[in-house]
Amino acid sequence: MNDEILCRCEEITEGQIREAIRQGATTVNEIKRWTRSGMGLCQGRTCRRLMERILSEEMGIPLKEITPATFRQPVRPIRMGIFSEIEDRDE
Amino acid sequence: MGRSYDVVVIGGGIIGLSIAYQLVKRQKKVIVIEKNEIGSGASGACDDMILLQSKKPGISLEMAMESLDMYKTLSDELGIDIEYENHGGMILIENQRHLNVMEEYIEQQRKYGLTVEIIDKKAVYRKQPHVRQGVLASTYSPTDAQVNPLRVMRGYLSRGTALGLEVRKGVHISEINQKSSGWMVSFKDGTYIESEYIVNAAGAWAAEIGRMVDIQIPIRPKKGQVVITEQIPKLGDTNVWSAEYIVAKLKPELANEKNEVFKHLGVGFALSQASCGNYIIGSTREEAGFDKKTNPEALQLIVKQAVQFFPILSKVHFIRSFAGFRPATEDGKAILGGVENRDGFFIAAGHEGDGIALAPITGKLMADCIEGKQINYNMEELKLERFRQEEVECAFA
């Protein structure tokens, strides 16, 4: 199994992603749910593109037909004290 | 010729997969039909809790207790770590009125054999050193547990597939027709399959499937928005909820203390830590149709509430939000079982926020129903027919 790390936040390898596809994952969202690739701190900034490419390879379908994983708020991690507009009393 | 199966399970969420797994284990030929992706409805957009304390005393609680027992051995059975953990749970009580409601409530739960007690302020701060000052008391049950629903689904799927389970994803049903013996399910791509039984496990979309066989299923989507934090060390001994969350779930009419926006969004506080360290903060319960977007107003209320309960969370980042549709019924109980005058058509949907907790037992009971086995629960309580059809018409009007 190829143990090169694709998702650096969650330390998921290329091999684990290919294995998930061979076990029936057919979308980027499913790979994500099954492996945690793309679920870390950066929310797939690097690995989502790589997952798309591997999926396209494994399934033999063109990259442009691969639906990207769902994008959700927040765009980048935000401190909850700031987001909630509650002052941090410790500071 | 279309392919032929013993059972067609409609819905590739945790409920449908659990049922399908139980059936292939019993040598049935089964196919799961999923219009979207595995777990793309509520099962992949929820928290991870098997919270017995939130179950209505009665059949829901009894089923949850048996389900929890099934979860304990499921990792071994499926050959995948489903991340079952048992840290207990606490429901934080902020005022005397909630204390009164909760005291009465846990008394009921104890009658059904749940180990749960009210603990005083001192014990609360011992178990939850980071909780805000001024909490009055809390419930505590050592039984509350958690699993990773995504892992559970993957396990059901891979073990099921190894036993012969088939899955068709991204297909849309155009018609369902009753034949002289069995059923025919036709798809928009022109293909069809035949089966002896159909199980409608379509969650929030169960009503849509029901209409294809001319039955009204009173299940509607309640949207739950959830916030995910970065991975941090644990804040306390157990997962926690606010009494208000339980009140909102069981007696929405009593949740009248917060402002209108809170009420409208059905915001209640639930905080649990996944085994990888992310905190999952919930949630809303909104009547918003099938709009799956998260919105900043609701997320801000959820986050604000969390920071108010646990001030230390103000320093923690949130990294993600999502929303799922809890399939809700009028009485808060799932609809499980066969349907009158629709021989071979079964429903297993409407679990609202209890789908993860009740998935294993639902799979077993539905497989028992289909095999015509004796069941130790009063399934009459969960039948579709408990809702009178004319009332259903009103609810849909």
Side-chain angles (χ1 to χ4, degrees), chain B residues 53 87-92 117-132 137-143 234-240 271 279 310:
Chain B
Q53 289 194 66
H87 302 300
M90 293 167 65
I91 299 173
L92 300 173
E117 59 181 321
I118 302 271
I119 58 173
D120 65 12
K121 209 183 279 182
K122 243 170 107 180
V124 172
Y125 291 106
R126 210 161 44 234
K127 288 183 189 299
Q128 298 292 346
H130 291 293
V131 77
R132 74 165 174 84
S138 174
T139 69
Y140 170 69
S141 170
T143 319
K234 75 174 183 179
L235 295 177
D237 289 352
T238 73
N239 293 332
V240 295
L271 181 77
Y279 270 92
F310 288 86

Side-chain angles (χ1 to χ4, degrees), chain B residues 325-336:
Chain B
F325 301 119
R326 319 291 166 233
T329 63
E330 284 303 316
D331 62 6
K333 288 186 292 195
I335 301 174
L336 299 182

Side-chain angles (χ1 to χ4, degrees), chain B residues 231-253:
Chain B
Q231 297 171 356
I232 56 170
K234 75 174 183 179
L235 295 177
D237 289 352
T238 73
N239 293 332
V240 295
W241 297 264
S242 65
E244 202 162 31
Y245 175 90
I246 304 298
V247 172
K249 189 172 176 220
L250 298 168
K251 294 183 176 172
E253 68 280 5

Side-chain angles (χ1 to χ4, degrees), chain A residues 9-10 16 19-21 23-36 38-43 48 67-91, chain B residues 36-41 44 83 148 150-151 153-154 157-158 161 169 227 229-231 274 276 278 281 292-296 299-301 303-308 311-323:
Chain A
C9 301
E10 295 294 313
Q16 285 171 295
E19 188 195 6
I21 299 168
Q23 285 183 5
T26 53
T27 63
V28 181
N29 277 333
E30 283 179 346
I31 299 175
K32 205 177 111 178
R33 288 187 196 119
W34 293 3
T35 64
R36 289 196 58 79
M39 281 186 166
L41 192 61
C42 86
Q43 289 290 302
R48 65 163 71 223
T67 309
T70 318
F71 285 86
R72 292 286 196 193
Q73 302 163 54
V75 173
R76 55 185 60 182
I78 178 167
R79 262 180 54 170
M80 292 200 284
I82 294 167
F83 182 72
S84 63
E85 296 168 3
I86 294 175
E87 276 185 12
D88 190 338
R89 277 162 289 184
D90 297 333
E91 282 179 10
Chain B
N36 199 348
E37 301 169 328
I38 296 300
S40 56
E83 296 170 8
N148 180 340
L150 306 174
R151 306 278 297 176
M153 285 190 283
R154 187 177 177 180
L157 194 65
S158 59
T161 310
K169 292 185 286 189
V227 163
T229 74
E230 63 186 312
Q231 297 171 356
C276 44
N278 305 86
I281 309 173
K292 210 176 174 176
K293 288 200 277 289
T294 59
N295 59 64
L299 298 178
Q300 196 179 31
L301 284 178
V303 167
K304 198 171 190 171
Q305 181 169 246
V307 174
Q308 280 163 348
I312 198 170
L313 283 176
S314 70
K315 297 177 198 297
V316 176
H317 293 81
F318 93 94
I319 65 171
R320 180 78 171 179
S321 62
F322 54 72

